[in-house]
Amino acid sequence: MDDQMLREFRNFVSYREKRDRIADDQHRETVRAIRDLTEVINNGVTVISQTLQDLGRSAR
């Protein structure tokens, strides 16, 4: 390999590594956001369930 080809190959590898790191970061952020959203939904369901139980008790 001549120097130009070697530089181009290194640039390509560097680009791929950076792209993969960005994709990994984005994946982690997406997973974190989904977990946060799931927690909010679960908390909302708990509140609604408790409210319905309280209403059912007070209706008796």
Side-chain angles (χ1 to χ4, degrees):
M1 257 190 211
D2 66 6
D3 288 344
Q4 177 64 27
M5 287 177 67
L6 190 56
R7 273 193 303 276
E8 288 176 9
F9 178 73
R10 286 181 179 155
N11 286 341
F12 173 74
V13 170
S14 176
Y15 163 78
R16 295 274 311 246
E17 288 171 346
K18 288 176 188 173
R19 187 193 68 188
D20 290 348
R21 274 194 305 273
I22 290 169
D24 289 346
D25 290 346
Q26 289 173 337
H27 175 74
R28 275 191 292 279
E29 289 174 17
T30 300
V31 168
R32 191 175 308 122
I34 290 170
R35 284 185 185 144
D36 291 348
L37 182 58
T38 301
E39 183 178 348
V40 168
I41 291 169
N42 286 339
N43 290 341
V45 168
T46 301
V47 168
I48 292 169
S49 176
Q50 187 64 49
T51 302
L52 290 173
Q53 287 176 7
D54 293 347
L55 288 172
R57 278 191 215 105
S58 66
R60 291 184 207 157

